Amino acid sequence: AQSVTQPDIHITVSEGASLELRCNYSYGATPYLFWYVQSPGQGLQLLLKYFSGDTLVQGIKGFEAEFKRSQSSFNLRKPSVHWSDAAEYFCAVGGLMNTGFQKLVFGTGTRLLVSP
Amino acid sequence: NAGVMQNPRHLVRRRGQEARLRCSPMKGHSHVYWYRQLPEEGLKFMVYLQKENIIDESGMPKERFSAEFPKEGPSILRIQQVVRGDSAAYFCASSPMTRTGSGNTIYFGEGSWLTVV
């Protein structure tokens, strides 16, 4: 069965510092991997996705993530965090089901706090 | 180019009432998904629909919950006889027709926050 683990519930980073949010997944085939960001009371915005090809993917707002099959990881990184990045970040893994649709399984999220 | 539209954004219901949440997918998208986010938790898959068909409802509670995606109009998630435990954010998502062997991006709406009092 698919599963996603985000081991850090909260992370606090100083503005301007680098960021890495961890994501580990369990999936029996080639996974489709996503990072979404959610501000309080808002919906989910897609930051980036990995389907195939280059294992380092670039996303919006200066984020990137690296797919490491050997470690079953898809960690999200940003070299310099801005105060506006404070939000909840969700990693998700998806795959095509027999019925032909893509079902996403989400991690429990990591709340990012940015200190001045 | 409108995104996934959900309404109402916020809904308050008393225990025992019915809640109806509506979702219009992005233009050109024929697949609709409903997810539920309980407080302090991630999103959990509920149901996947195509026009006039429920394809996978493995995440739907066995009772009181139903979903439809009619030929015309939005998708509806219906919760009958709501209880306090139904209080959550309900997210609709849509994607274009899935191509075998490849993935598709799933786009989420802004969510509908249900509060049961």
Side-chain angles (χ1 to χ4, degrees), chain B residues 20-94:
Chain B
R20 284 191 181 220
L21 310 177
R22 288 175 290 279
C23 169
S24 296
M26 286 181 71
K27 188 176 181 180
H29 286 192
S30 56
H31 298 217
V32 166
Y33 313 78
W34 285 94
Y35 284 78
R36 177 166 65 174
Q37 184 180 32
L38 293 169
E40 306 301 321
E41 293 187 17
L43 280 76
K44 299 279 195 269
F45 168 78
M46 298 181 75
V47 62
Y48 161 63
L49 311 102
Q50 295 179 16
K51 284 285 187 181
E52 300 183 280
N53 283 305
I54 297 174
I55 307 301
D56 187 313
E57 56 182 347
S58 57
M60 288 279 270
K62 294 288 185 274
E63 298 176 345
R64 303 186 296 108
F65 285 72
S66 62
E68 63 177 13
F69 189 18
K71 186 177 181 181
E72 301 291 337
S75 175
I76 307 284
L77 179 67
R78 182 183 179 202
I79 311 171
Q80 296 177 289
Q81 300 172 352
V82 296
V83 301
R84 288 226 171 103
D86 297 333
S87 296
Y90 292 83
F91 288 94
C92 174
S94 72

Side-chain angles (χ1 to χ4, degrees), chain A residues 14-103:
Chain A
S14 298
E15 190 168 16
S18 64
L19 169 71
E20 182 168 28
L21 302 182
R22 295 183 290 167
C23 172
N24 292 96
Y25 68 89
S26 173
Y27 189 68
T30 300
Y32 304 130
L33 295 158
F34 306 82
W35 275 99
Y36 288 87
V37 61
Q38 183 183 31
S39 297
Q42 301 297 314
L44 278 75
Q45 181 181 24
L46 179 69
L47 286 176
L48 48 75
K49 61 190 178 188
Y50 170 78
F51 288 161
S52 64
D54 193 348
T55 55
L56 183 63
V57 293
Q58 303 296 320
I60 62 171
K61 303 184 180 185
F63 285 93
E64 66 177 26
E66 186 170 12
F67 169 55
K68 293 185 177 179
R69 184 187 300 274
S70 61
Q71 298 177 20
S72 297
S73 69
F74 189 57
N75 294 348
L76 182 71
R77 300 193 294 249
K78 185 169 184 178
S80 178
V81 168
H82 188 261
W83 64 266
S84 61
D85 293 324
E88 187 99 24
Y89 291 80
F90 292 97
C91 179
V93 62
L96 288 176
M97 302 291 105
N98 291 335
T99 45
F101 87 101
Q102 184 171 190
K103 177 179 177 179

